[in-house]
Amino acid sequence: MSWRRLLGALVVAALVAAAVAGLLRSSAPARDADPVRTVTQGLRCPACQGESVADSQSPIAAAMREAVAEQLAQGRSPAEIRRWFVERYGDDVLADPPARGLSLLLWAVPALALLGAGAAAVRTLRPSRHRRPVAAAAGRARGGTAAQRVWWVSCAGVMVLVAAVALAADRLDDAQPQGRPADPVAVTLQLARDLERDQRYDAAAELYREALRDRPDDGVQLRLAFALLRAGDAAGAERTVREVLARSPDSPDGLLVLGLAQRSTRPGDAPETLRRFLAVAPRHPAAPEIRRLLGA
Amino acid sequence: MLGDLGTASLTAGLISASLTVPLWLRVALLGRSARQARVATGVTLLAAALACAVLETALLRHDFSVRFVAENGGRHVSGYDTVTSLWSALDGSLLLWLLVLCGYAALLARRRHPPRLHAYAMAVVGVVTTFFFALSALAANPFRSVHPAPVDGPGPNPLLQQHPAMGVHPPLLYLGYLGLVVPFALALAAPLAGPEGRDWLRIARPWTLAAWSALTAGIAMGAWWSYAVLGWGGYWAWDPVENASLMPWLTATAFLHTMLSGALRRARWNSVLACASFLLVLLGTFLTRSGAVASVHAFTESPLGPLLLGLVLLAVLASTLLAGRRDPLPPAPGRTPLLSRATAVLVNGVLLVTIAAVVLIGTVLPLLTEPLTGARSSVGPGYYHRTAVPLAIVVLLLAGVAPAVRRAGDRAAARQLVLPAVAGSVTAAAVGLLSRPGVPALVAFGAAAFTLTGLAGQLGSLLRRRRGARTVRLAALLAHAGLALVALGVAGSSAYGRAQERTVRTGEVVRVSDVSVRLLAVERSAGNGRMAVQARLALTGDGAEHSVAPRLWYDTARDTAVTVPWIATGLRRDTYVTLLSVAADGSTATVRLAVNPLVGVLWCGAALIVGGGLLGFATSVRRIRRRTPPSAPAAPPAAVQVTA
């Protein structure tokens, strides 16, 4: 009998040890884990609803993934990369808000619920020593004057409910809808500017296009044209900038980008466009450089 | 013409709904006959049904002078999608909501329950119905006319036109949500109804089981829709709208358990959980219909927010005043053994309430931070993985303990748990040593093995019992086994799912483990208000090769792109191919190939849970029939113990 017990205990101990070993092995980071994915899973895609940068298909997320990969390649730690993103785009970019301020509620509320419900459970389970007297409140007589009065009050209550909805509905008809969603365009633009600073003009142009699709805007279109120009696509830049110039023929930036683009597409027209630019905006920061170009 | 008829039926419904409240209160307070009250409840149902029928007719006839049809109808939309577009936008879905609510009210009105309890409960349902009728008739009337009527409409949201589940998912969810109004009403009525009120749990049980089953099916259907349509390969994203459906499910599950335990019958747990479930339904309605949260499934911004918030506050006030009253009867004295059903049920209740609190604060916090601190914040899946998932694993373990706690005495119960514990640790050891699923998934595998072994052991003794007792236990067993299977599916698919995304030319291959797809061709088509691109790919896996064709289409009217993944479902694993984008000249395509193991097990588990709930529902209905002779006075509570 005791042998059987001992054997049983040994088997159980071996099993538990094996299970613990399995757990330990499982908790170590897997060899094939992709560091880019680990970091991007903690970042929220600004253009989508509730998707992480790792999972999202949007161009912003793709650019952010690239940015993470690049920084990891430069030897930055995941925490540094997260900080970099937070500095640029705010706490909103993190999939999980940092544990400070109001976000502490995320932990306080469940803890309170656990404690409160747990205390109530303990109270329910503990045998009650003193029996409370059975309350006599139950079973008011039916049909008395008090009941009549309660009935009239409830009727009035229903009327008030309907009237309140009617009044509120009337007011709401002209109220402004509230709760605008996050502005993904602003984030897209910020990201595109970052890419431009890193001289990655192709990717930046892609993001500007994305932003333009959501919000047609001459300023953004000019930036797109400029990014295209710097990416070496002078023809594309010219096409883009002509759309802006068709709307506002005297846009100095438009003339500037057009002129620069024409230097590679139609060198004959370029000087005239650039001269027009100088005439329209003689104090533009780029003006001295253009004068130098024209003079040369 | 149709629009006027619809508005008239909404107005008639509003009037009759507001009449039901005083009529039922007259029954409760003054002891009058319930006939007129029943008639008024029936008329309200008719009005709601008429309003739905009118809007369906307008949709099917393409009557674009009706506002809702102009906004959500379209001549290019198929018949099925036209019928389901009734609930594809806020105002129409409110009509379905009303229809379901009035259906429950009419069903409850027909029952012969203890008269005062019944009448008070009906009055509560009447107030809720009145509010939603007022909302629909006064604030969100879908029948308002459009001048001049457009010739065509944009059709419903293209994401909603993609999957047959859309036809049943919202109605099922509404059946679940609104069924919870019955236990809520009974819980509020019980303290008002005096001695009759003690019977409320027995009456509430079948309603709660029916609602809970429908809600479970609705949530599962929503997960399936998300898996099969949204194209990202997942089924649950902790999205606010998904959370809104999960919260009442959690508290209703806790309620189903606490109402079973004899020792708890007089504790306040039951009324608090019954009220909380419906309050969370209302809160979820507020979250999803006010435009307060941004989500894939949320309806667009609407001005109903403040009104719905008002109703939530009113309901919170009413339930605190009524259900929070002191219980007239003290709990039964006596010591409960540690491993008893009462303990298990309470621990389960505590855990489920905590998970509900986690989900609630995670959903609501982004709403609070913006007005208070000015900064936007978001709560991602990581938070829920750290909080809700471990708690859920403990709940699963508890389901495995359930068969043991029926035994008398702690020792006998503990002995019965040895074999499941061995099975659990063997599984954890084997899985953990052979692969690296990560700690949560590994623990979930072990817990599922523990629970399933315990339940299998119970099956033998179950079959030897007599029929009546057998079905009740079988229902619980099915539901618990279903939960374990869901856990297996979730753990397996999240731990072993692999995906690869590549831009390929024709003839090139994307490979994930032993499955690969080769791009054969990219085909474009246009027409019917949409532009579609389809990639033809050859899928090689499991030794066979066949052709698959994921699609990508762009709805011109709504300016939305929809990916239609191609899914090969198997019990062991799903193969999931998505076309993400196509180069302008059609020479390359970006394809995502994913292998999602055990997703089929997840759906089977969900089906088992629903089956268990329905079986429990059928049994509890039979019991009520057997135990209440028609028009007999209420039986004393001791004689109507539902506990098995």
Side-chain angles (χ1 to χ4, degrees):
Chain A
M1 189 63 200
S2 66
W3 274 110
R4 270 181 61 188
R5 277 213 171 168
L6 191 65
L7 195 68
L10 274 178
V11 169
V12 169
L15 277 176
V16 169
V20 169
L23 269 179
L24 286 178
R25 191 172 172 279
S26 229
S27 62
R31 259 162 296 144
D32 55 348
D34 177 6
V36 177
R37 195 174 164 74
T38 325
V39 175
T40 48
Q41 264 172 344
L43 298 175
R44 205 173 62 91
C45 163
C48 355
Q49 286 162 351
E51 276 185 284
S52 75
V53 169
D55 296 322
S56 167
Q57 306 302 339
S58 78
I60 302 189
M64 284 167 83
R65 277 196 293 265
E66 246 173 74
V68 169
E70 221 165 76
Q71 300 199 15
L72 279 171
Q74 288 166 10
R76 288 175 149 213
S77 75
E80 280 173 335
I81 298 174
R82 264 194 291 275
R83 217 170 308 131
W84 186 82
F85 274 104
V86 169
E87 272 165 22
R88 246 135 239 274
Y89 314 116
D91 279 347
D92 193 23
V93 79
L94 293 179
D96 292 313
R100 68 177 123 85
L102 263 185
S103 303
L104 286 176
L105 280 178
L106 284 178
W107 305 95
V109 168
L112 280 180
L114 185 66
L115 285 179
V122 169
R123 258 211 356 228
T124 310
L125 282 177
R126 216 171 30 201
S128 63
R129 243 168 279 146
H130 52 93
R131 278 173 165 267
R132 261 180 271 126
V134 176
R140 247 169 286 143
R142 282 184 177 193
T145 40
Q148 286 273 8
R149 213 171 298 141
V150 171
W151 186 74
W152 281 111
V153 170
S154 347
C155 291
V158 175
M159 307 281 275
V160 169
L161 179 75
V162 175
V165 174
L167 278 179
D170 207 36
R171 280 258 207 85
L172 291 171
D173 264 350
D174 16 81
Q176 287 296 312
Q178 9 144 329
R180 289 243 150 258
D183 183 7
V185 176
V187 179
T188 315
L189 291 177
Q190 170 72 31
L191 199 62
R193 251 170 244 137
D194 282 345
L195 287 170
E196 262 190 284
R197 205 168 308 136
D198 294 349
Q199 309 193 340
R200 299 199 4 236
Y201 303 114
D202 277 331
E206 195 49 50
L207 285 183
Y208 282 131
R209 271 205 197 98
E210 169 83 0
L212 269 180
R213 205 158 26 212
D214 292 341
R215 189 176 306 160
D217 175 77
D218 279 355
V220 178
Q221 194 154 0
L222 283 174
R223 291 216 68 101
L224 168 64
F226 198 49
L228 284 173
L229 181 65
R230 300 222 266 180
D233 180 7
E238 189 181 335
R239 236 184 354 260
T240 314
V241 81
R242 276 196 192 281
E243 284 172 27
V244 178
L245 286 172
R247 283 188 290 269
S248 44
D250 284 337
S251 153
D253 285 317
L255 289 171
L256 172 65
V257 178
L258 179 66
L260 292 174
Q262 280 173 336
R263 275 160 58 86
S264 42
T265 49
R266 267 176 283 177
D269 296 348
E272 197 203 319
T273 316
L274 288 175
R275 261 182 225 113
R276 251 185 81 205
F277 159 72
L278 285 177
V280 171
R283 285 186 202 164
H284 194 279
E289 179 70 18
I290 298 301
R291 279 196 199 97
R292 198 182 54 76
L293 262 177
L294 286 175
Chain B
M1 166 56 201
L2 275 176
D4 295 337
L5 186 60
T7 308
S9 60
L10 281 181
T11 316
L14 175 59
I15 292 169
S16 65
S18 38
L19 278 180
T20 54
V21 184
L23 284 174
W24 281 108
L25 279 177
R26 218 170 55 140
V27 180
L29 287 165
L30 311 174
R32 301 287 169 78
S33 143
R35 243 197 43 221
Q36 287 113 322
R38 285 210 173 91
V39 169
T41 310
V43 169
T44 318
L45 172 63
L46 279 181
L50 183 65
C52 281
V54 169
L55 193 54
E56 274 301 0
T57 316
L59 278 167
L60 287 170
R61 277 205 199 156
H62 301 302
D63 183 347
F64 292 107
S65 65
V66 173
R67 183 175 63 88
F68 186 79
V69 183
E71 285 168 4
N72 298 286
R75 294 187 192 278
H76 60 281
V77 183
S78 74
Y80 180 78
D81 290 328
T82 305
V83 172
T84 62
S85 56
L86 176 68
W87 48 83
S88 70
L90 176 67
D91 305 345
S93 75
L94 207 52
L95 290 192
L96 180 69
W97 182 270
L98 275 174
L99 180 65
V100 176
L101 180 58
C102 293
Y104 273 117
L107 274 179
L108 184 63
R110 287 184 41 162
R111 301 270 137 217
R112 307 226 170 259
H113 292 312
R116 289 187 72 193
L117 176 68
H118 186 214
Y120 273 122
M122 282 307 303
V124 174
V125 177
V127 172
V128 177
T129 317
T130 307
F131 174 83
F132 280 105
F133 254 115
L135 209 58
S136 186
L138 303 171
N141 184 352
F143 296 108
R144 255 177 275 167
S145 54
V146 179
H147 286 296
V151 277
D152 199 355
N157 184 338
L159 282 172
L160 306 182
Q161 298 179 37
Q162 267 311 300
H163 201 271
M166 263 328 281
V168 270
H169 162 59
L172 271 178
L173 267 185
Y174 290 5
L175 275 177
Y177 283 153
L178 292 165
L180 291 175
V181 78
V182 179
F184 168 72
L186 285 167
L188 290 193
L192 294 172
E196 282 180 8
R198 283 175 218 155
D199 230 9
W200 78 275
L201 271 183
R202 184 182 62 92
I203 300 169
R205 181 135 185 106
W207 297 93
T208 316
L209 274 166
W212 180 85
S213 308
L215 186 56
T216 314
I219 295 175
M221 206 70 95
W224 184 41
W225 172 78
S226 157
Y227 181 67
V229 171
L230 294 186
W232 56 287
Y235 38 79
W236 193 265
W238 297 103
D239 168 284
V241 177
E242 292 169 344
N243 291 350
S245 68
L246 186 63
M247 290 187 283
W249 186 86
L250 290 166
T251 47
T253 312
F255 176 50
L256 279 179
H257 288 84
T258 53
M259 77 197 302
L260 270 181
S261 172
L264 292 179
R265 312 200 82 209
R266 287 167 194 157
R268 224 176 292 161
W269 278 88
N270 290 314
S271 46
V272 169
L273 284 174
C275 291
S277 302
F278 191 64
L279 288 179
L280 288 171
V281 167
L282 292 180
L283 184 72
T285 317
F286 160 67
L287 288 177
T288 50
R289 280 149 200 277
S290 61
V293 293
S295 150
V296 193
H297 335 236
F299 291 108
T300 43
E301 288 164 18
S302 85
L304 301 188
L307 286 171
L308 284 164
L309 195 61
L311 179 70
V312 173
L313 294 179
L314 185 70
V316 169
L317 191 72
S319 21
T320 331
L321 283 180
L322 288 173
R325 297 219 305 205
R326 282 222 149 171
D327 237 314
L329 293 174
R335 230 188 116 67
T336 20
L338 186 64
L339 269 178
S340 71
R341 183 192 240 182
T343 329
V345 154
L346 274 180
V347 174
N348 179 57
V350 171
L351 289 172
L352 287 174
V353 165
T354 312
I355 301 179
V358 164
V359 179
L360 177 65
I361 189 66
T363 313
V364 173
L365 189 76
L367 293 183
L368 298 177
T369 45
E370 209 188 344
L372 289 181
T373 64
R376 285 177 172 276
S377 81
S378 62
V379 180
Y383 167 67
Y384 300 101
H385 290 171
R386 280 197 297 268
T387 48
V389 169
L391 289 168
I393 292 176
V394 184
V395 170
L396 175 63
L397 281 173
L398 217 58
V401 177
V405 294
R406 294 181 214 278
R407 292 286 169 94
D410 288 354
R411 280 188 77 92
R415 208 170 300 139
Q416 214 187 344
L417 289 177
V418 170
L419 189 64
V422 166
S425 29
V426 167
T427 311
V431 174
L433 293 174
L434 291 177
S435 67
R436 273 191 171 153
V439 175
L442 187 60
V443 178
F445 279 131
F450 172 78
T451 305
L452 284 174
T453 320
L455 293 173
Q458 197 198 5
L459 198 62
S461 69
L462 197 69
L463 295 178
R464 288 194 295 275
R465 294 185 150 265
R466 72 188 163 75
R467 240 187 94 234
R470 198 161 66 192
T471 25
V472 180
R473 295 234 176 138
L474 189 63
L477 190 139
L478 281 180
H480 288 165
L483 181 70
L485 289 185
V486 168
L488 269 184
V490 171
S493 57
S494 56
Y496 299 119
R498 292 283 174 273
Q500 182 76 48
E501 188 185 315
R502 265 189 69 194
T503 304
V504 286
R505 297 175 177 285
T506 319
E508 286 183 333
V509 169
V510 184
R511 192 183 304 276
V512 172
S513 61
D514 62 330
V515 182
S516 64
V517 287
R518 187 158 42 87
L519 181 63
L520 298 177
V522 175
E523 290 153 3
R524 285 168 192 278
S525 59
N528 216 2
R530 52 171 75 168
M531 299 187 288
V533 193
Q534 175 172 298
R536 268 199 305 115
L537 301 131
L539 174 95
T540 321
D542 297 326
E545 182 174 306
H546 43 259
S547 172
V548 302
R551 281 191 304 142
L552 181 69
W553 59 268
Y554 176 75
D555 184 293
T556 38
R558 293 251 176 197
D559 187 23
T560 316
V562 181
T563 51
V564 186
W566 191 93
I567 308 171
T569 312
L571 194 60
R572 196 165 64 85
R573 66 178 186 194
D574 283 10
T575 312
Y576 193 104
V577 191
T578 329
L579 176 64
L580 297 176
S581 63
V582 171
D585 58 354
S587 61
T588 63
T590 308
V591 176
R592 182 175 181 275
L593 170 67
V595 175
N596 302 328
L598 298 183
V599 176
V601 173
L602 169 64
W603 308 134
C604 290
L608 268 189
I609 299 181
V610 175
L614 289 177
L615 192 63
F617 166 69
T619 323
S620 62
V621 166
R622 226 174 24 229
R623 283 183 175 214
I624 285 200
R625 290 253 164 86
R626 213 184 309 142
R627 295 200 182 175
T628 12
S631 74
V640 288
Q641 296 259 333
V642 198
T643 37

